[in-house]
Amino acid sequence: MKKLKIIMLFCLLFTECPAKQEVDSLYIRYFSWEDYKQPHIITCNNFEDEMPYTEYCVSDRSEIDRLLGSMRELPKTSDTVFCVGCKLLFLHKGMVVKKACLNSEYVMTGGQSYLCTQEFMNTINDIMHNGVIVNRQNRFLPNKYGDEYIHGREALFSELEAYYAKHVPESIRKNGDTRIVVYCKSNKKGKTTKIERVRIYNTNLSDSQTKDIEQLIYRFFMRKVRWKPDETRMESDWITIYYKIEGDQGIIP
């Protein structure tokens, strides 16, 4: 039993050390600490599309370690929804290995929510003051619709095309262009948890045909689709899909 405890302790120590070594740079995307009113929640996933942030690059390892140390002291809290005002990207050889999103009250990182402390904000403010501004971004272009799919957007459209062709009668498939809009949500592990809306637009279809296709698309996204796991995904994050099916010729994004 003692040997087992020693081995477990060694494993814990061993797994913590590389995490420190794997981070060689830090990017801070900062908009504001203050509470601000928005018509909807700004999340970790849509932050770059919504906020005119300033980006700082930090390569001083001592500063990065100081920030990580301060982060480890944050008290845990239950999962919560909040407006993101700052985003931290920890990199190793150009690849993001850790993300954190926060405002003056909360921090989300590694799938866990924490209370944001004044000490943590002060540390970030100090690092930004000494960091190098690399970007003043007014607005990022949003990702292409479907990029959240676990196998990529092209795979999503390909699988949907096959599903649509299998279940929709040919007489409907050839009945003009059909535009489809889907609003859904996923948990952090990538499972679809809610579909708020499926809309089918084709003036050549009857009401009953439209409802049948809406139900078909609903079943596809709820039962067949898995999204990319994302530890920063919040309950307020929406996955939006827009696409057009041209007759019987396939899907055009």
Side-chain angles (χ1 to χ4, degrees):
M1 190 66 180
K2 288 184 178 179
K3 289 184 178 180
L4 180 60
K5 289 181 177 179
I6 292 172
I7 292 173
M8 291 178 65
L9 179 60
F10 175 79
C11 290
L12 288 172
L13 292 173
F14 182 78
T15 54
E16 286 183 0
C17 291
K20 207 172 183 181
Q21 296 171 353
E22 286 174 358
V23 177
D24 53 38
S25 59
L26 164 69
Y27 283 84
I28 302 174
R29 294 174 178 172
Y30 175 76
F31 171 66
S32 174
W33 293 125
E34 304 301 323
D35 292 332
Y36 47 90
K37 294 182 180 180
Q38 295 291 338
H40 55 275
I41 297 293
I42 306 303
T43 69
C44 204
N45 287 333
N46 67 24
F47 176 78
E48 286 87 352
D49 301 331
E50 303 278 353
M51 296 291 99
Y53 63 87
T54 300
E55 185 172 56
Y56 301 82
C57 178
V58 181
S59 57
D60 187 327
R61 289 291 300 276
S62 63
E63 290 284 76
I64 296 172
D65 290 345
R66 180 162 72 102
L67 182 60
L68 288 170
S70 181
M71 186 180 295
R72 284 192 286 268
E73 299 298 320
L74 296 175
K76 289 184 179 180
T77 187
S78 57
D79 197 9
T80 187
V81 173
F82 62 92
C83 262
V84 172
C86 180
K87 187 170 182 178
L88 309 177
L89 302 174
F90 297 89
L91 288 80
H92 172 64
K93 294 183 178 179
M95 300 293 293
V96 176
V97 295
K98 183 181 181 68
K99 290 189 291 186
C101 296
L102 58 149
N103 65 6
S104 60
E105 296 182 291
Y106 300 104
V107 178
M108 176 182 284
T109 183
Q112 172 67 48
S113 294
Y114 300 84
L115 296 176
C116 188
T117 63
Q118 187 62 51
E119 177 190 355
F120 189 57
M121 287 190 290
N122 290 343
T123 300
I124 294 174
N125 285 334
D126 290 344
I127 293 175
M128 285 193 296
H129 180 73
N130 297 322
V132 177
I133 296 178
V134 293
N135 188 14
R136 292 189 185 274
Q137 185 65 37
N138 292 324
R139 187 174 180 87
F140 259 18
L141 293 175
N143 290 335
K144 294 180 180 179
Y145 297 115
D147 277 355
E148 302 94 338
Y149 185 52
I150 192 167
H151 301 303
R153 70 190 300 263
E154 298 305 326
L156 173 63
F157 294 145
S158 177
E159 291 179 28
L160 178 57
E161 180 179 356
Y163 184 85
Y164 189 90
K166 180 178 179 181
H167 292 88
V168 176
E170 185 178 1
S171 57
I172 294 179
R173 296 201 307 270
K174 291 186 175 181
N175 204 8
D177 295 346
T178 300
R179 294 185 177 274
I180 301 173
V181 180
V182 180
Y183 295 94
C184 64
K185 291 186 176 182
S186 166
N187 60 19
K188 292 180 175 65
K189 294 182 179 180
K191 180 180 179 181
T192 302
T193 57
K194 180 179 182 180
I195 296 180
E196 179 70 18
R197 187 184 308 164
V198 175
R199 290 290 183 266
I200 301 298
Y201 300 95
N202 185 335
T203 57
N204 296 319
L205 301 181
S206 66
D207 289 345
S208 62
Q209 288 174 327
T210 299
K211 289 181 180 179
D212 287 344
I213 296 179
E214 286 177 353
Q215 287 297 315
L216 176 73
I217 300 302
Y218 179 94
R219 289 195 295 271
F220 175 79
F221 278 92
M222 183 59 73
R223 299 177 184 177
K224 302 286 187 180
V225 174
R226 297 282 297 187
W227 309 100
K228 294 175 183 176
D230 188 341
E231 64 186 20
T232 63
R233 187 175 284 133
M234 296 183 181
E235 292 182 3
S236 53
D237 272 315
W238 287 99
I239 296 172
T240 306
I241 303 295
Y242 291 93
Y243 55 85
K244 178 176 69 174
I245 299 177
E246 291 189 346
D248 202 15
Q249 301 175 15
I251 293 177
I252 306 299

